């Protein structure tokens, strides 16, 4: 093909693609003359051109070769789309126009639009025709022909687009929807001539019945069936049926009988027919059936016209005994002692077979037996003898009973070897050894029928693979001894009897195990691995199984170090051990042996060496000597040889200011180093570490300090607060630590008024001070400087503070007042509540009525002026009497109010500034004697009698008369004034006297001559004033004794004890007189609510002797025992009598509380202490009294502290003695040691109480207390005692320097201790209710232990002679 021909092919291919893809028209012009054959595409579908020239078709797919000749000149080509197509933009692409796309797919058509290529057309639905315009449709009237019937037979109805036919009444439209048929069923509600259902047919009809009915012979009426048929089993051969009869009308014919049939599937199609009388309509017995058979029974009715439909039910007859015996009974001999009996089920079983009975008859005359078999059709008869014949019969059972027996079948066993094994095969228990044993047996049963010629013995074991041994023994042997067996090995031995003709019989079997022995070989594979420098793991395997000779119960390990030291041994069950706490860098040798009944041989020695470790102890004897203010020499010694744990490589000295920041670090190989440069008087922590290849160990850090200097900084955060108009509180913080250059020992304060005023200089060790007695509303200037032992630092900048203006505080003297109408007035006072008044102030007192009537019962006060003048002091009062009127009316108590007010803003009224005043409406004055009995002696010469005002405030003078009634001996009876006389018979209470005030008079006594030990007379009051009410006691007894006579009374008139205490102490005392000669009194008991002799020990005239010299207030005591009765009875009581020679003198009461235990516990609930402190722990009796000694143990319980390491008790117990009672305490001391370990949090432990014996029942209050140790860094006692190790001249110099430093440190620590001592004392002066005891050091600047008892009086805090205090402490 030439070049031009190729162009035509390509162009035609492009045109073909356009036509195929666009369904349009292509215009093509061949531009070359070609006379050659070329390929062109030929389409299977052709699109005709609508063009002007060129080809008439375009190809779309496929290729065909055509030979064409063209003689065409070149023309130009153009592009256009056919009608019905549209051009896509400026491309040469045509797309078809779908004219039907509009109007819902109808386009311009009314009903149906069909699109075509480049065009469309309209059509109509069935029943319509297309109009002449080609777009619209019109209806076709199908009924217009055939006289208006159209295609219909009777009636035609035209509808839009269609029509439908219908029929006249009595006719039905046939299936062709055009013609009509006569409907015979249209009357009688659709039943027509039928009784139930009528079905019309083309040209006819037929009748039928609803289900349950059948059409009778007239083909129009229906006969029903019986209903509700019930079918139940009656017995094994009969069923009972019952039903309800159907309704039969005359049209159905005459009821003749009921028919029934019962059929079963076995045999197929069998059945029993029944004809039942009409009288049996409601039930019938269906008999002649087979047992345990499922029947399907139906019942129907029979009339003269028809046989009705049936109703059916199914059920099964009952079971019965089997009708026939089991089939095919046979016997089969299994061996010489067993027969199998086999059979098949009965042919007629009459129910499920529940089992079989096998009857065995011994034909040789033995007893017949019966065997029951369930769920099987075979039975094995055993325990027979060889060649024995038996007879067998078999029967079957159902749940009803046993069926007939089968015929007798005989069977015979085989002839063979012995059928029984040797009997009683056993091992002699005492014959078992580690390597042997003896077995024995008896000959088999029925040995008389078969001769035993020999015994075969089999022996084998599977533990060690020993070969199986089999041998025969003569028939007359019944025992055998084994020797040379494996130790602790389990063997199985079998013995069988044999006959030389028939062979071996069954065997007897027995297992036995030889005894254990010690292992014959050592453990295997001893090796190990290094775990750490102090631990090594050994592991091994048990001895070889053949060498174990028993159960390896344990292993024994022996290890010893080559460097010397004690060997260690271990016993354990496991086959490995981790050796702990070995010495680093030591070489050890270990051996292992296994143990069964004893220990076997050892393994070869296994040798291993431990790796090096950090030394187990630090550098020894660390000491330091300050060389100057910036350098310190630190020296030490190496650890002991056994603690080095390797070769010491070097030492590391670390100097730091805290645990987290190192300042200097030195690595040296010698045992001393010079550290520096250091800051002056700066505290460093120095630690020395010793290192081997396994690591290093640092010693506990020590604290070193350079020399002191003058502070370079000033106190910080200085504040001043005026706490009152006359007081200022200054507080501050020390200079920055880096600016202190030493220990701050005091502060100097410059304090004064304006610069022109005189300034005061104070010294203080605390960081706060209260300045008193200042002027109010005054400005003061202050500056503070800190000082060390080297001198005072710079002063801070001056600051100012102004004192407060004083407020004048005034209140009423009390919040309530009371008075009587008879008193006539009441005094109300105002009180000054400031230290001193520097100006005049006025407050107003006013009244307001309450329940009292204004102007009737009191004279009101309005704006009464209390004038407080300058110079008055705290608690001075101004008072006014308020007049109260007696209105003469007996009424309830009345009340009015008084209150303060002021307009002065500088006056602040304090509570109470309002008071309630009660007017007691009483028209009498109550008066009584002060005492009911008075004691005196003739030597005294008088006795004083007092009257007491019981209530109210007197508004007038009141007089009462005192009279005497003689009650002495007959010689004095009625002789008034002989032995005694009154100096004044009248007592007077003055106006204004208040409640509880008294007035007294003396009765003069004279010696009347007779020496009578005791005389008595009485005094009593009389008054003619009607307003005076005499109350009890209004009569008193005066007891007059001789000069040498003493008055003895009970020290207390009521005593309280408990059953738990076990006793009570009763005392009598001399209340008057002096004992010149022995005087004896007696104590007796009398029962009240307690049972005499049961709860207490009774007393009968127990003597108490007062000897010469006893005087007033001397006492004698006796203890009365109380017995515990273990009953809860509440409080009981009994009486105690004091007697003399004349009889009962006084009576006291003893009350017994039913308390059977003591309440004991720590005095405080918790303690807070610091390290290096001593704490007093006090145990207190809260209730009860001890009748015997009580010992208590104090036990510490670790919580977060290290138990027993950081604290210990000086005494481990406290003891309370007999008689100790409520409130008594016993104390011990707890010592907390400084352990130099920085704690991240407080540490705690607990201390509890427990009894050494249970003799005394104790209930614990605070029986366990918590002690909290707060960590505070400071110089410990141990650190202060460190002395460097040195020798020779240098050693002496070092030692002297060290001693000097120690003295300085001790003095500094003494200063710190005294500072803290003062601080704690100051705090101790303030009362507190806290039950915790806080002791310890002050902010880490001291280490002297303090207890809660180490407080000093508050005056000590004001002691400013610090140097003297330091000196006294240092001594």
């Amino acid at each position: 093909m030439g070049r031009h021909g190729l162009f035509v092919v390509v162009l035609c291919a492009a045109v073909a693609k356009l036509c195929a893809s666009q369904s349009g028209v292509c215009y093509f012009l061949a531009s070359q003359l070609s006379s050659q054959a070329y390929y062109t595409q030929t389409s299977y579908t052709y699109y005709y051109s609508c063009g002007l020239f060129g080809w008439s078709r375009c190809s779309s797919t496929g290729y065909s070769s055509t030979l064409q000749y063209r003689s065409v000149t070149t023309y130009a080509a153009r592009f256009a789309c056919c009608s019905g197509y549209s051009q896509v933009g400026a491309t040469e692409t045509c797309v078809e126009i779908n004219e039907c796309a509009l109007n819902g797919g109808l386009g311009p058509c009314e009903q149906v639009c069909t699109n075509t290529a480049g065009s469309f057309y309209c059509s109509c639905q069935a029943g319509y025709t297309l109009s002449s315009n080609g777009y619209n449709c019109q209806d076709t009237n199908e009924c217009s022909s055939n006289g208006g019937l159209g295609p219909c037979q009777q009636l035609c109805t035209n509808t839009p687009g269609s029509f439908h036919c219908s029929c006249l009444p009595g006719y039905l439209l046939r299936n062709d929807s055009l013609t009509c048929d006569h409907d015979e069923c249209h009357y009688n509600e659709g039943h027509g001539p039928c009784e139930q259902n009528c079905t019309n047919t083309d040209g006819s009809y037929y009748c039928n019945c609803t289900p349950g009915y059948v059409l009778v012979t007239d083909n129009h009426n229906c006969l029903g069936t019986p209903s509700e048929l019930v079918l139940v089993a009656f017995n094994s051969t009969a069923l009972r049926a019952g039903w309800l009869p159907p309704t039969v009308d005359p049209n159905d014919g005459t009821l003749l009988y009921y028919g029934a049939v019962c059929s079963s599937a076995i045999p197929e199609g069998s059945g029993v027919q029944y004809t039942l009388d009409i009288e049996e309509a409601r039930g019938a017995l269906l008999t002649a059936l087979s047992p345990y058979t499922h029947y399907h029974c139906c019942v129907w009715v029979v009339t003269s016209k028809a046989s009705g439909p049936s109703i059916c039910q199914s059920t099964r007859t009952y079971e019965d005994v089997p009708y026939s015996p089991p089939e095919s009974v046979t016997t089969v001999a299994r061996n010489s002692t067993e027969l199998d009996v086999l059979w098949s089920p009965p042919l007629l079983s009459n129910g499920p077979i529940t089992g079989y009975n096998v009857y065995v008859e011994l034909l040789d005359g033995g007893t017949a037996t019966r065997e029951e078999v369930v769920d099987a059709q075979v039975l094995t008869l055993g325990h027979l003898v060889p060649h024995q014949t038996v007879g067998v019969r078999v029967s079957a059972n159902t749940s009803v009973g046993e069926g007939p027996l089968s015929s007798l079948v005989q069977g015979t066993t085989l002839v063979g070897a012995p059928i029984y094994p040797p009997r009683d095969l056993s091992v002699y228990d005492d014959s078992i050894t580690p390597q042997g044993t003896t077995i024995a047996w008896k000959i088999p049963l029925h040995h008389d029928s078969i001769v035993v010629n020999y015994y075969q013995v089999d022996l084998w074991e599977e533990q060690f693979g020993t070969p199986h041994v089999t041998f025969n023994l003569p028939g007359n042997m019944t025992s055998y001894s084994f020797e040379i067996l494996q130790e602790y090995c389990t063997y199985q031995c079998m013995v069988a009897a044999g006959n030389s003709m028939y062979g071996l019989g069954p065997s007897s079997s027995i297992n036995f195990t030889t005894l254990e022995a010690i292992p014959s070989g050592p453990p295997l594979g001893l090796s190990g691995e290094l775990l750490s420098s102090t631990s090594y793991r050994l592991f091994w395997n048990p001895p070889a199984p053949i060498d174990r000779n028993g159960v390896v119960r344990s292993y024994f390990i022996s290890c010893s170090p080559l460097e010397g030291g004690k060997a260690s041994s271990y016993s354990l069950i496991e086959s490995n051990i981790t050796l702990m706490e070995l010495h680093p860098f030591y070489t050890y040798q270990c051996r292992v042996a296994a143990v069964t009944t004893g220990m076997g041989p050892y393994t070869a020695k296994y040798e291993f060496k431990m790796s090096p470790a950090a030394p187990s102890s630090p550098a020894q004897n660390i000491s330091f000597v300050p060389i100057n203010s910036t350098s310190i020499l630190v020296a030490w010694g190496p650890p002991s040889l056994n603690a080095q744990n390797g070769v010491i490589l070097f030492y590391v000295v670390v100097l730091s200011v805290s645990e987290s920041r190192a300042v200097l670090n030195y690595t040296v190989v010698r045992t001393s180093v010079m550290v520096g440069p250091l800051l002056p008087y700066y505290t460093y922590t120095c630690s020395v570490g010793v290192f081997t290849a396994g690591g290093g160990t640092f010693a506990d850090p020590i604290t070193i300090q350079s020399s002191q200097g003058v502070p370079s900084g000033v106190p910080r955060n200085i504040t001043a607060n005026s706490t009152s108009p006359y007081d200022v509180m200054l507080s501050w913080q020390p200079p920055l630590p880096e600016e202190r250059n030493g220990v701050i020992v005091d502060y100097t304060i410059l304090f004064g008024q304006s610069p022109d005023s005189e300034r005061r200089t104070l010294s203080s060790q605390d960081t706060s001070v209260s300045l008193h007695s200042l002027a109010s509303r005054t400005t003061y200037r202050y500056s503070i400087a800190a000082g060390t032992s080297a001198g005072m630092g710079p002063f801070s900048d001056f600051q100012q503070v102004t004192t407060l203006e004083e407020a004048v505080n005034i209140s009423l003297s009390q919040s309530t007042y009371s008075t009587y109408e008879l008193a006539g007035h009441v005094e109300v006072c105002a009180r000054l509540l400031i230290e001193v008044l520097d100006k005049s102030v006025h407050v107003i007192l006013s009244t307001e009525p309450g329940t009292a009537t204004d102007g009737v019962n009191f004279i009101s006060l309005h704006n009464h002026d209390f004038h407080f003048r300058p110079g008055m002091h705290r608690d001075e009062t101004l008072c006014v009497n308020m007049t109260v009127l007696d209105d003469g009316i007996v009424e309830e108590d009345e009340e009015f109010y008084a209150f303060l007010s002021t307009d002065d803003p500088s006056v602040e009224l304090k509570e109470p500034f309002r008071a309630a005043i009660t007017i007691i409406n009483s028209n009498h004055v109550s008066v009584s004697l002060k005492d009911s009995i008075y004691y005196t002696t003739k030597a005294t010469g008088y006795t004083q009698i007092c009257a007491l005002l019981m209530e109210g405030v007197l508004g007038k003078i009141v007089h009462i008369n005192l009279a005497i009634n003689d009650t002495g001996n007959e010689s004095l009876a009625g002789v008034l004034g002989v032995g005694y006389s009154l100096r004044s018979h009248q007592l007077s209470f003055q106006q204004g006297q208040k409640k509880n005030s008294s007035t007294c008079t003396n009765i003069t006594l004279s010696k009347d001559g007779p020496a009578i030990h005791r005389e008595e007379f009485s005094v009593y009051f009389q008054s003619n004033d009607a307003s005076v009410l005499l109350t009890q006691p209004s009569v008193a007894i005066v007891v007059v004794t001789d000069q040498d006579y003493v008055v003895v009374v009970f020290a207390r008139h009521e005593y309280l004890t408990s059953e738990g205490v076990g006793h009570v102490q009763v005392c009598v005392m001399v209340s008057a007189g002096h004992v010149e000669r022995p005087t004896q009194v007696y104590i007796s008991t009398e029962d009240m609510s307690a049972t005499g002799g049961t709860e207490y020990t009774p007393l009968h005239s127990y003597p108490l002797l007062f000897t010469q010299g006893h005087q007033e207030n001397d006492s004698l005591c006796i203890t009365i025992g109380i017995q515990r009765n273990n009953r809860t009875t509440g409080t009981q009581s009994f009486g105690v009598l004091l007697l003399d020679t004349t009889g009962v003198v006084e009576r006291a009461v003893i009350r017994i509380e039913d308390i059977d235990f003591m309440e004991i516990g720590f005095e405080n609930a918790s303690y807070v202490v610091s390290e290096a402190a001593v704490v007093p722990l006090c145990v207190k009796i809260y209730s009860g009294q001890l009748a015997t000694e009580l010992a208590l143990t104090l036990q510490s319980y670790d919580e977060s502290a290290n138990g027993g390491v950081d604290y210990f008790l000086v005494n481990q117990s406290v003891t309370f003695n007999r008689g100790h009672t409520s409130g008594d305490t016993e104390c011990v001391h707890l010592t907390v040691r400084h352990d130099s370990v920085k704690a991240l949090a407080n540490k705690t432990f607990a201390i509890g109480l427990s009894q050494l014996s249970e003799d005394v029942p104790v209930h614990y209050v605070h029986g366990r207390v918590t002690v909290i140790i707060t960590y505070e860094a400071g110089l410990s006692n141990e650190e202060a005692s460190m002395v460097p190790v040195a020798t020779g001249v240098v050693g002496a110099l070092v030692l002297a320097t060290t001693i000097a430093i120690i003295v300085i440190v001790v003095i500094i620590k003494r200063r710190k201790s005294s500072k803290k001592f003062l601080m704690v004392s100051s705090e101790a002066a303030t009362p507190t209710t806290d039950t915790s005891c806080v002791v310890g050091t002050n902010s880490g600047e001291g280490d002297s232990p303090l207890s809660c008892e180490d407080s000093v009086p508050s005056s000590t805090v004001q002691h400013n002679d610090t140097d003297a205090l330091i000196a006294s402490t240092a001594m």
Side-chain angles (χ1 to χ4, degrees), residues 43-354:
S43 174
Y44 302 112
T45 302
Y46 295 92
Y47 298 93
Y48 288 91
S49 174
C50 60
L52 301 176
F53 44 82
W55 293 349
S56 61
R57 62 177 64 91
C58 298
S59 61
S60 62
T61 57
Y63 289 90
S64 65
S65 178
T66 59
L67 185 61
Q68 298 182 8
Y69 297 92
R70 291 287 185 266
S71 179
V72 182
T73 56
T74 300
Y75 295 94
R78 68 181 182 87
F79 183 86
C81 292
C82 301
S83 174
Y85 296 84
S86 63
Q87 185 176 0
V88 180
T91 65
E92 294 182 356
T93 303
C94 298
V95 294
E96 183 191 0
I97 298 173
N98 186 2
E99 292 85 356
C100 296
L102 302 176
N103 193 20
L106 297 179
C109 304
E110 181 179 1
Q111 288 188 355
V112 180
C113 179
T114 302
N115 186 57
T116 62
S119 184
F120 74 97
Y121 64 88
C122 296
S123 59
C124 297
Q125 299 172 356
Y128 294 88
T129 58
L130 189 65
S131 64
S132 58
N133 61 10
Y135 296 102
N136 299 104
C137 297
Q138 57 187 16
D139 178 51
T140 302
N141 185 4
E142 292 85 355
C143 297
S144 60
S145 62
N146 193 20
L149 296 179
C152 300
Q153 181 182 4
Q154 291 186 1
L155 299 174
C156 181
T157 303
N158 184 59
T159 60
S162 184
F163 72 97
H164 68 83
C165 299
S166 58
C167 299
L168 297 173
Y171 293 86
L172 292 175
L173 192 65
R174 287 191 173 97
N175 291 334
D176 60 4
S177 299
L178 297 175
T179 61
C180 294
D181 175 59
H182 182 258
D183 183 12
E184 291 86 358
C185 299
H186 76 280
Y187 66 96
N188 191 19
E189 298 181 355
H191 297 296
C194 302
E195 180 183 3
Q196 291 186 358
N197 300 325
C198 179
T199 303
N200 185 66
T201 61
D202 191 6
S204 184
Y205 73 96
Y206 65 88
C207 298
N208 55 36
C209 301
T210 58
Y213 291 83
V214 66
L215 198 65
V216 299
T217 54
D218 60 5
N219 293 325
H220 285 81
N221 293 296
C222 295
L223 176 62
T225 183
S227 62
E228 299 185 20
L229 176 63
V230 177
L231 188 67
V232 295
F234 181 74
N235 54 36
S236 62
T237 59
L239 299 174
R240 180 174 291 281
W243 61 87
L244 295 178
T247 302
V248 180
D249 60 33
N251 294 326
D252 299 332
T254 303
L255 181 61
L256 301 178
Y257 60 88
Y258 289 95
V261 63
C262 290
S263 61
S264 66
I266 305 174
E268 186 67 31
S270 62
V272 182
Q273 297 284 340
Y274 303 91
T275 299
L276 306 176
D277 294 337
I278 299 175
E279 289 74 11
E280 300 183 25
R282 293 185 178 274
L285 194 63
L286 308 179
T287 59
L289 303 178
S290 298
Y292 198 68
T293 303
H294 190 276
Y295 285 95
H296 184 73
C297 299
C298 298
V299 180
W300 64 91
V301 66
V302 179
T303 67
S304 58
K305 291 185 177 182
S307 178
S310 62
I311 182 171
C312 302
Q313 287 287 352
S314 297
T315 191
R316 185 190 299 273
T317 55
Y318 287 144
E319 294 182 60
D320 206 341
V321 298
Y323 183 76
S324 61
E327 301 287 324
S328 306
V329 179
T330 58
T331 61
V332 177
R334 298 186 63 164
N335 50 44
S336 61
T337 60
E338 294 178 322
L339 279 175
D340 285 342
V341 182
L342 302 94
W343 63 89
S344 299
L347 182 61
L348 299 175
S349 62
N350 290 347
I353 300 300
T354 59

Side-chain angles (χ1 to χ4, degrees), residues 900-939:
L900 294 176
S901 61
T902 182
D903 296 330
D904 190 341
S906 66
V907 175
E908 183 177 350
L909 298 178
K910 298 291 185 180
E911 294 286 351
F913 54 81
R914 186 174 187 270
I917 302 173
T918 302
I919 305 173
I920 301 175
N921 189 270
S922 176
N923 292 321
H924 62 265
V925 177
S926 297
V927 179
S928 71
L929 285 171
K930 189 172 183 180
D931 297 295
S932 61
I933 186 169
Y934 296 87
Y935 292 96
T936 186
T937 64
K938 293 180 180 179

Side-chain angles (χ1 to χ4, degrees), residues 721-778:
N721 294 309
S722 178
T723 57
S724 75
Y726 315 105
D727 303 288
V728 167
M729 170 63 76
L730 285 178
S731 62
W732 59 90
Q733 292 180 343
L736 293 172
E738 59 270 19
E739 296 177 345
R740 297 176 191 173
N741 297 337
V743 176
I744 303 299
V745 296
D746 57 25
Y747 295 93
T748 300
I749 302 120
L750 300 180
F751 190 88
Q753 298 184 17
S754 59
D756 298 334
S757 302
E758 180 182 357
R759 297 185 295 176
R760 293 188 288 175
T761 300
L762 305 174
S763 293
S764 173
Q765 289 182 317
D766 297 326
T767 56
S768 64
V769 65
S770 292
L771 304 176
H772 308 290
S773 302
L774 304 179
S776 62
R777 293 177 293 175
T778 304

Side-chain angles (χ1 to χ4, degrees), residues 1075-1080 1105-1109:
V1075 179
E1076 298 292 341
R1077 62 177 181 270
T1079 301
Q1080 185 165 275
L1105 181 64
F1106 287 93
T1107 58
Q1108 183 177 6

Side-chain angles (χ1 to χ4, degrees), residues 431-662:
S431 71
I432 299 178
T433 67
Q435 293 184 333
T437 188
T438 299
I439 62 173
W441 61 90
K442 295 179 181 179
I443 60 177
L445 293 174
H446 300 292
H447 60 278
D448 52 347
S449 61
I450 298 176
V451 177
V452 177
N453 302 116
Y454 67 94
Y455 292 99
Q456 178 176 301
V457 180
D458 291 90
L459 181 70
W460 67 86
E461 61 85 21
E462 297 181 355
Q463 290 177 258
F464 305 106
T466 305
H468 177 201
V469 177
T470 300
F471 57 91
N472 293 334
L473 297 174
N476 60 351
M477 288 186 64
T478 57
S479 66
Y480 182 79
S481 295
F482 294 99
E483 298 177 352
I484 317 177
L485 300 180
Q486 175 64 40
E487 293 89 343
Y488 195 64
C489 180
T490 298
Y491 290 89
Q492 183 180 16
C493 180
M494 300 181 68
V495 179
N499 182 275
S500 58
M501 181 179 295
Y502 297 108
L504 284 172
S507 62
S508 295
S509 176
I510 189 172
N511 293 340
F512 63 88
T513 302
T514 56
L515 298 181
E516 295 184 73
I518 63 174
S520 55
L524 304 177
L526 176 59
S527 61
E529 60 178 344
L530 183 66
L531 301 180
S532 69
S533 60
T534 59
S535 61
Y536 195 89
R537 181 171 178 263
L538 292 176
F539 42 86
W540 59 90
N541 294 318
I546 198 69
D547 295 331
R548 294 177 191 171
N549 298 340
V551 177
V552 176
R553 293 174 173 81
S554 63
Y555 294 95
F556 188 81
I557 302 95
S558 175
C559 295
S560 59
L562 297 183
E563 288 79 2
K566 183 179 179 181
S568 300
S569 60
Y570 312 90
S571 178
L572 71 161
I573 299 174
E574 295 81 6
S575 60
N576 64 84
I577 184 174
T578 299
L579 304 175
M580 307 296 291
E581 299 181 359
L582 301 180
H583 198 290
F585 213 58
Y586 270 27
T587 300
Y588 289 86
Q589 287 182 341
C590 295
R591 299 183 300 167
V592 181
V595 178
T596 56
T597 58
M599 189 171 70
Y602 275 110
T603 62
K605 291 183 179 180
Y606 177 77
E607 184 174 300
F608 59 90
K609 186 176 183 63
M610 303 302 295
S611 62
S616 54
S617 67
Q620 304 296 310
N621 303 321
I622 302 175
S623 61
F624 66 93
V625 176
I627 302 303
N628 51 43
S629 61
T630 60
S631 299
I632 295 177
L633 176 64
V634 180
W636 61 90
S640 61
L641 288 177
N642 63 349
Q644 292 182 7
N645 299 339
V647 177
I648 296 178
L649 302 178
F650 56 87
Y651 298 93
V652 174
V653 179
V654 178
L655 203 66
S656 60
V657 295
S658 67
E659 292 185 357
S660 60
R661 183 163 64 92

Side-chain angles (χ1 to χ4, degrees), residues 698-725:
F698 277 88
D700 292 339
I702 63 173
T703 301
I704 59 178
Q705 199 172 52
S706 56
S707 301
Q708 297 193 51
V710 175
S712 58
V714 298
R716 300 172 295 123
N717 301 328
I718 303 174
T719 59
N721 294 309
S722 178
T723 57
S724 75

